Amino acid sequence: MSERPIGIFDSGVGGLTVLRALRKKLPSEDLIYFGDTARVPYGTKSPKTIIRYSIENTKLLKRFNVKMVIVACNTSSSYALEILKSEFSDVPILGVINPGARLAVSATKSGKVGVIGTEATIKSGAYRKAIHFINPSCLVFEKVCPLFVPLIEEGWLNDPVTLEVARRYVLPLLGKGIDTLVLGCTHYPLIKDILLKICKNVTLIDSAQAIADEVAKALPSKKESGKGNVKILVSDKTDRFEKIAKMIMGNKIEIEEVSIDKE
């Protein structure tokens, strides 16, 4: 069991922030990442489609005999996590919502927490429910940010256009007096520098680090030595994905295109 890899999936490049955090936290573990680049973004899809994609992605990772599956997509975590746990009960499956919510509750001093995410994630109310389950007295202010994922997938990580879009999204939340902002999409840490320009004196919650800490505790068995291998798979290999992936993970990575439908 300890020699088997950990599987991670996301709709595109965003989950690479989780892959990077896991690589740093668990350097001996073999990691397999799947980015569903042919069908990104998930945040505008219906719950039915999000669930179907999430099931197909999990089946793909299970081809590699993974010992755990990390749903490194807030949208999939919002709608599909419990279904995945039920359908694939033979392997532990973790999502990013609860670790991020716990981190936010522990960070806030005012009890006012902002959440930014895709349309689907915010509509699900997953973060609000998770935060209120931990601390019912917290005030949660949510904002749909539909342009962030396309801008990030385009590689506009430090572009003036992205900064202006971020101002329009985030300033209303700051006006509510939040002291903590949950980056409710694993793409969003890639524009953290831009968000920090706007969110002065606000703690940004990156669920990538939170999920890495959770995985370290929950792994059924660990590789205790050696340097783990990293495999990156995509449903559509594009120059854009490769450019951002190398920026996040380093220039030595290799990316392989795979078929989702293969049994």
Side-chain angles (χ1 to χ4, degrees):
M1 171 71 86
S2 64
E3 299 301 313
R4 291 162 59 185
I6 299 170
I8 307 110
F9 80 79
D10 182 48
S11 61
V13 300
L16 291 172
T17 60
V18 175
L19 180 66
R20 179 175 60 188
L22 285 168
R23 182 66 166 160
K24 186 174 181 179
K25 185 77 177 181
L26 300 165
S28 296
E29 295 290 342
D30 293 332
L31 305 171
I32 296 179
Y33 177 86
F34 174 64
D36 192 7
T37 47
R39 304 189 293 195
V40 67
Y42 283 10
T44 56
K45 305 295 193 298
S46 69
K48 181 180 178 181
T49 297
I50 293 162
I51 291 166
R52 175 166 63 85
Y53 287 179
S54 301
I55 290 172
E56 291 170 352
N57 296 345
T58 304
K59 286 181 178 178
L60 185 150
L61 289 173
K62 281 178 63 65
R63 291 185 217 160
F64 297 90
N65 197 29
V66 294
K67 61 184 175 183
M68 177 179 277
V69 173
I70 312 304
V71 184
C73 173
N74 285 267
T75 302
S76 288
S77 294
S78 298
Y79 288 96
L81 185 63
E82 296 309 314
I83 292 169
L84 295 178
K85 286 181 177 180
S86 175
E87 186 150 333
F88 303 99
S89 57
D90 59 327
V91 60
I93 299 178
L94 297 180
V96 290
I97 302 289
N98 287 332
R102 281 192 285 271
L103 202 56
V105 171
S106 68
T108 183
K109 293 180 174 61
S110 69
K112 294 181 179 181
V113 177
V115 180
I116 54 175
T118 66
E119 180 182 351
T121 296
I122 298 302
K123 189 175 181 180
S124 76
Y127 271 107
R128 184 178 67 253
K129 294 169 189 172
I131 290 169
H132 283 160
F133 181 81
I134 301 164
N135 185 348
S137 67
C138 277
L139 295 177
V140 180
F141 303 95
E142 299 165 297
K143 182 67 176 176
V144 175
C145 303
L147 292 178
F148 276 167
V149 170
L151 287 168
I152 291 165
E153 292 281 338
E154 189 67 30
W156 292 15
L157 307 184
N158 288 292
D159 194 274
V161 172
T162 307
L163 177 60
E164 179 56 30
V165 169
R167 287 187 190 279
R168 294 196 180 202
Y169 286 153
V170 176
L171 288 179
L173 295 176
L174 298 181
K176 300 290 186 180
I178 64 167
D179 69 350
T180 304
L181 180 65
V182 178
L183 309 185
C185 174
T186 47
H187 281 71
Y188 296 176
L190 295 173
I191 55 169
K192 199 170 185 178
D193 288 345
I194 275 181
L195 292 171
L196 285 170
K197 291 178 183 178
I198 305 165
C199 300
K200 294 178 173 63
N201 303 315
V202 173
T203 301
L204 301 184
I205 301 299
D206 177 354
S207 56
Q209 187 56 55
I211 191 67
D213 293 340
E214 192 115 334
V215 170
K217 296 175 187 174
L219 263 183
S221 59
K222 297 178 183 177
K223 281 181 69 177
E224 300 296 342
S225 61
K227 185 177 180 180
N229 296 314
V230 176
K231 182 188 292 286
I232 297 179
L233 311 173
V234 292
S235 50
D236 183 30
K237 189 175 180 180
T238 65
D239 291 341
R240 185 184 302 164
F241 179 93
E242 185 170 5
K243 179 182 177 181
I244 299 175
K246 286 183 175 179
M247 183 179 66
I248 297 169
M249 299 300 300
N251 288 322
K252 294 182 179 180
I253 62 165
E254 293 185 10
I255 301 166
E256 177 186 348
E257 185 173 317
V258 294
S259 171
I260 299 169
D261 300 325
K262 181 181 176 183
E263 293 295 334

